Amino acid sequence: MSLTGVPLLLLAAAATIATGAVTVLFWSRGGRLRPVTRTLGILLLEALVVLTAGLEVNRREQFYPSWQALRGDTGTAAVTGEVRAGLLDGRVRSGSFEWRPPGLAAWHLAHAPAVSVPADYLSRPDVAFPVVLALVAPGTPTRRTPGAVTVTLAPTAATTATALRTLPAELERDLRVAATGWDVLGNGPLGAAFVRSVPAGLAVLDRPTDALPPALKAPQTLPSLRNTRS
Amino acid sequence: MTLWLALAAVLVTAAALAVLWNRLRALGRGLLSLAAVLSVVAAVGVELNQLTETFPSAAAAVPVAAGTGGSQMLAVTVPGEASKLRLPMYVYLPAAYRLSAERLPVVEAFHGVPGTPQFWLHKLNVQSTLDREIAAGRMAPTVVLFPQQTPNPTLDTECTNLRGGPQTETFLTVDVPAYAKAHYRIRADRAAWGLTGYSAGAFCAVNLTLKHPDKFAAGASLSGYASAGITIGDGSEHTTNNPFWRLQHLPQPAVALWLGWAADDKQPARDSRLLAAEARAPLAVTTAVVAHGGHSSAVWRQMEAPAFDWLSAHLAGPLP
């Protein structure tokens, strides 16, 4: 029987009326036990009145739509994942290195991007680091950002934001980096177009590097809307 | 204790009614019956108050609570110069607050209606949740503020500036940040400030994040609504204080929202889906669904850690 259904509500109401009737009917009976039977009748009646009112309020407001909900059973457990190791984690050394992902040719860069990892990248293998994506002129020295994976990229006239849309997935595959809050440095229109072209929240244009999110372990998560629909 | 006293009163009045009925005249019987009814009403009221923490007892108002992880929960009063409200607030300081000199990010956490910040402390065990998530490295050390949202626990403001009433929006977006910045070692930039809340507090978190993207970078909603459900006095519950209307008619701000709900919690589930469906870049929305549990503390306990973890990942970290 549903907690918020009419049958349960009617049952509770009927029980309340019946208890009231029986209490009145037996009010003058019971002999020496009369104080006890009267007291029990009153208490039961009071409890049923409260129960019926509570069922009606809950039916209207849907605080507890089911018996499971009333028991505190949510049927869901938050999942704590793990930060997946990057394919390059075994080869990364502190300092910077040339990054040659499979999709590199499609980006039409002046030369391969330079990547620098934070000093504690190797000593914290269970953490995803924030990302700084620096769009610079060819020949500009490699950028470094304390606490962040920094990708120094030298675009050419042939580089498009559409082509660079594959970069986040390539970087997330190769290194342990955060999936949101990337800082894209570079005042040119390419940086702005890249920020607009990637999913909302993934990248921010020209944010101060001290506003980067922290390096964190994998969060606790719940099923998402997409999972629910499927 | 209060509940046991109320239940004892129910028992005593019922017994008195049973024993004294034949010895009393009509007036006495009527008075005793009234006492019995009142005792039941009182017991129900006490239990409901324990469930919602609308009127917390003096014993429940913990001035300072130390967490097992070295954190502290402080009780303060915020004198709101801009709003002219003077309301209590709890302040969570993580262990790192004492152990380092960093400026920490901040989250304001709103309670439901009826309710008070004590619900976060007692029913949602927020201090131990924050201690655990920070110690596990899933959340950066963060100062969390639990302001009271109304001068009258029975007055639902939905964190808005009521026409001719409390200026709660001003209190929460101007006075509380000003007080926190003046008294604690925290970051002042919007990138490090987020909001969260459950039920009506979730509406507050979403509404204020969308209205004040210059002050808050992210908001997390636990079983929230898309509209205020009250009369504000200027009609803005249909427009500027209606997140669904804002998403449909105003440019969407560059903030991030986490919308969580229980699948069997009809109104918040419907409203959260509507909000998620209306979101467009640069607004980023993440959804989270609990299978069932209704509109209850069990659901919010389930969502609490994922919401705080998500908030931390979307706010600027501690600043050396």
Side-chain angles (χ1 to χ4, degrees), chain A residues 2-209:
Chain A
S2 166
L3 181 62
T4 54
V6 174
L8 182 64
L9 186 62
L10 290 178
L11 184 66
T16 305
I17 293 168
T19 302
V22 169
T23 303
V24 170
L25 202 62
F26 286 84
W27 191 252
S28 301
R29 303 181 197 177
R32 287 166 52 196
L33 288 176
R34 195 162 61 190
V36 177
T37 56
R38 280 181 176 179
T39 303
L40 289 177
I42 293 168
L43 290 175
L44 185 58
L45 181 62
E46 290 172 340
L48 285 168
V49 167
V50 171
L51 175 70
T52 307
L55 285 172
E56 170 54 19
V57 170
N58 188 55
R59 185 176 132 73
R60 230 173 331 110
E61 301 292 337
Q62 297 281 314
F63 293 123
Y64 301 97
S66 65
W67 295 102
Q68 288 170 314
L70 190 63
R71 287 197 304 269
D73 172 10
T74 63
T76 308
V79 176
T80 305
E82 288 186 1
V83 173
R84 195 176 55 82
L87 292 179
L88 299 180
D89 275 10
R91 284 179 279 161
V92 166
R93 297 287 175 268
S94 58
S96 60
F97 61 91
E98 195 177 72
W99 182 41
R100 290 188 168 278
L104 175 61
W107 300 342
H108 299 293
L109 303 175
H111 47 74
V115 172
S116 67
V117 297
D120 56 351
Y121 184 86
L122 294 173
S123 62
R124 301 174 71 190
D126 50 0
V127 161
F129 288 84
V131 176
V132 173
L133 187 63
L135 305 176
V136 300
T140 304
T142 301
R143 297 277 187 94
R144 291 189 70 88
T145 314
V149 170
T150 309
V151 182
T152 307
L153 214 63
T156 64
T159 305
T160 64
T162 307
L164 288 178
R165 285 173 65 180
T166 60
L167 189 148
E170 299 261 14
L171 191 65
E172 286 170 29
R173 187 198 59 216
D174 285 352
L175 294 169
R176 283 175 282 111
V177 293
T180 58
W182 289 25
D183 191 8
V184 178
L185 302 178
N187 282 325
L190 180 64
F194 173 76
V195 169
R196 282 196 306 271
S197 69
V198 294
L202 190 147
V204 179
L205 186 66
D206 286 325
R207 179 166 60 178
T209 51

Side-chain angles (χ1 to χ4, degrees), chain A residues 27 34-36 38-39 42, chain B residues 11-24 32:
Chain A
W27 191 252
R34 195 162 61 190
V36 177
R38 280 181 176 179
T39 303
I42 293 168
Chain B
L11 185 63
V12 167
T13 52
L17 208 53
V19 172
L20 301 176
W21 183 264
N22 293 346
R23 301 179 203 171
L24 295 173
L32 206 47

Side-chain angles (χ1 to χ4, degrees), chain A residues 38 63 74 76 210 220 223 225, chain B residues 18 133 187 287 289 291 295 302:
Chain A
R38 280 181 176 179
F63 293 123
T74 63
T76 308
D210 64 11
Q220 288 198 47
L225 181 57
Chain B
E133 295 310 296
R187 295 187 60 143
T287 58
V289 186
H295 203 71
Q302 192 82 69

